[in-house]
Amino acid sequence: MRRKKVTLADLSKQLGLSVQTVSKALTGKPGMSEETRSEVCRLARELGYWTKDQRNALTYERISPYPVVRRRFVLLHNEQSVNFNRLLLAGLHDRFTEFGHTVEPLLLPPELKPKAFDGWADKVGLPYAEGVFIAPRMAGAELEERLLALAMPRVLLNFPPPESKVDSVIWDVHEAVHQSVRHLLRAGHRDILYVGDAASQRGFRLRWSAFQEAMGEEGLTVNPERHCTERMNGDTASWARGFIERFRSFRPSAVLCAIDEQVEPAYYALRDAGVRIPQDCSFVGIANEQTDRLPALTRPLLPIKESGYRAADRLLWRLANPNLPYEHIRIRGDFYIGSTMLHADKTSP
């Protein structure tokens, strides 16, 4: 049965808006609130409405907006990626729903060894998927190499290792760190304490490198010994004590915590030590999302869900263009000024 074509009039009727307003929302023209624009775009995606420009873009990339074949894709992830997997999966699901495709999460067992991967993959039916997404933080380089060598279309949701033959889509934490440092510097903060694991993951190493780069662009030297770049390793209390020792020794006017799972422990370690945020010290946290356990956090907005949405397009593109060069895509987010940052001259002496 042929799918009924959705029109601007259909969207207009359901939303209670004029056809002109709906058209302006979908083509990015000004003259309405972002809330209204978001509502229009959401319904358009749900109903499968495509603007002329969207259809032309899909045609250019050889992607059918109304495919006959319904495809099944898989998101491979592990326990270390659970905290952002929900956002990635939501983005993938939103995009694939528009085409009638499906995506399902597949959790790699924590004890899985690279030599046992083929047997596990056959058992869970991985070879029957038409494409896979590989989440960040795969345990061990050998297992990641095994995943990258899968004989099917795949997209890495991470910064790619050197010489990897794979498309990648990732939210741009390099840009997020530069945004954070620049906002703090513009607010008069020169003594910024960096907090976050700087070694165990490629993305973590990139954040630490970006911090040194951003500070260096302002002529500020970063002494690694003054910063808290250790991994927590499950012992949060011990890590918090070491962090507070660094804080008291450094006496910064601002803290930049660059790793999601360390943001909350760092914030509460400061509060428990009697440090008032932001009166005594401004605090910027690179968190995956705002939680009700923290105040309105000053932070770069990480487009994790949007990266999943874009990755879906990339995999469909790869299916249609198997022989073209690989592409690495970074998704940039905006910056949010919350209640945890003050101008340096307004902090307590």
Side-chain angles (χ1 to χ4, degrees):
M1 181 175 177
R2 188 173 180 179
R3 182 177 182 177
K4 180 181 180 295
K5 184 178 179 181
V6 180
T7 67
L8 281 175
D10 295 327
L11 297 176
S12 172
K13 183 177 180 180
Q14 288 204 36
L15 292 164
L17 300 171
S18 69
V19 170
Q20 291 78 11
T21 298
V22 173
S23 177
K24 286 168 62 177
L26 294 174
T27 53
K29 294 178 180 177
M32 71 194 66
S33 70
E34 286 306 309
E35 182 180 1
T36 298
R37 189 186 307 279
S38 177
E39 185 179 358
V40 172
C41 293
R42 178 189 58 77
L43 183 62
R45 289 197 301 268
E46 289 179 358
L47 298 183
Y49 176 82
W50 303 92
T51 66
K52 181 179 178 181
D53 288 341
Q54 287 173 324
R55 287 195 299 272
N56 288 342
L58 291 171
T59 299
Y60 178 77
E61 295 194 346
R62 303 178 190 175
I63 299 173
S64 171
Y66 305 112
V68 176
V69 178
R70 301 296 185 249
R71 302 180 184 274
R72 169 183 171 262
F73 301 100
V74 166
L75 170 63
L76 292 172
H77 68 111
N78 62 16
E79 291 179 341
Q80 293 186 63
S81 62
V82 167
N83 63 340
F84 48 77
N85 171 62
R86 173 180 54 79
L87 298 171
L88 282 174
L89 191 62
L92 290 167
H93 176 77
D94 282 357
R95 188 52 164 163
F96 280 140
T97 296
E98 298 173 22
F99 297 99
H101 304 318
T102 62
V103 58
E104 61 185 67
L106 195 56
L107 183 67
L108 278 76
E111 70 281 0
L112 183 65
K113 303 298 182 184
K115 291 182 179 179
F117 177 80
D118 288 340
W120 173 82
D122 288 337
K123 182 179 178 180
V124 299
L126 182 60
Y128 298 102
E130 296 193 58
V132 299
F133 299 92
I134 304 170
R137 304 194 189 182
M138 289 300 166
E142 190 176 353
L143 180 58
E144 185 182 58
E145 289 174 5
R146 185 67 190 81
L147 296 175
L148 293 176
L150 287 170
M152 61 178 65
R154 61 220 177 282
V155 171
L156 178 66
L157 299 168
N158 197 355
F159 297 94
E163 298 188 316
S164 55
K165 297 181 178 181
V166 66
D167 295 302
S168 69
V169 180
I170 188 64
W171 52 101
D172 194 350
V173 293
H174 180 273
E175 170 73 10
V177 171
H178 273 266
Q179 287 176 324
S180 301
V181 171
R182 289 187 174 203
H183 274 82
L184 286 169
L185 291 173
R186 282 195 290 266
H189 297 283
R190 308 282 288 179
D191 297 320
I192 305 170
L193 174 62
Y194 183 92
V195 180
D197 177 358
S200 68
Q201 301 285 335
R202 280 194 303 278
F204 294 176
R205 294 191 290 273
L206 179 63
R207 296 174 202 218
W208 172 234
S209 176
F211 175 74
Q212 297 176 82
E213 180 182 290
M215 295 290 281
E217 288 176 354
E218 295 297 319
L220 301 172
T221 302
V222 175
N223 180 354
E225 295 182 358
R226 301 183 70 184
H227 297 270
C228 187
T229 57
E230 293 80 12
R231 190 177 181 183
M232 287 197 299
N233 288 322
D235 189 354
T236 305
S238 177
W239 176 88
R241 287 193 295 271
F243 161 53
I244 293 301
E245 288 178 6
R246 295 284 178 86
F247 178 85
R248 287 172 173 160
S249 174
F250 190 176
R251 299 182 65 187
S253 66
V255 166
L256 169 57
C257 188
I259 309 299
D260 175 76
E261 54 262 40
Q262 292 179 271
V263 170
E264 191 173 324
Y267 176 85
Y268 279 102
L270 289 169
R271 195 191 69 170
D272 293 344
V275 179
R276 299 173 301 163
I277 298 173
Q279 295 91 337
D280 299 331
C281 178
S282 288
F283 188 91
V284 174
I286 303 183
N288 293 342
E289 56 186 336
Q290 178 69 52
T291 73
D292 57 9
R293 296 184 299 274
L294 291 168
L297 193 64
T298 297
R299 62 190 179 97
L301 301 176
L302 300 183
I304 300 175
K305 181 178 177 180
E306 293 83 354
S307 296
Y309 190 94
R310 185 69 180 90
D313 278 339
R314 181 51 25 186
L315 191 47
L316 292 174
W317 179 89
R318 176 53 61 193
L319 285 166
N321 303 275
N323 299 316
L324 291 183
Y326 296 108
E327 296 186 10
H328 304 310
I329 301 170
R330 296 185 180 188
I331 309 298
R332 179 193 183 279
D334 290 327
F335 195 87
Y336 173 74
I337 304 294
S339 63
T340 61
M341 188 176 83
L342 285 180
H343 196 281
D345 61 13
K346 294 182 180 180
T347 58
S348 300

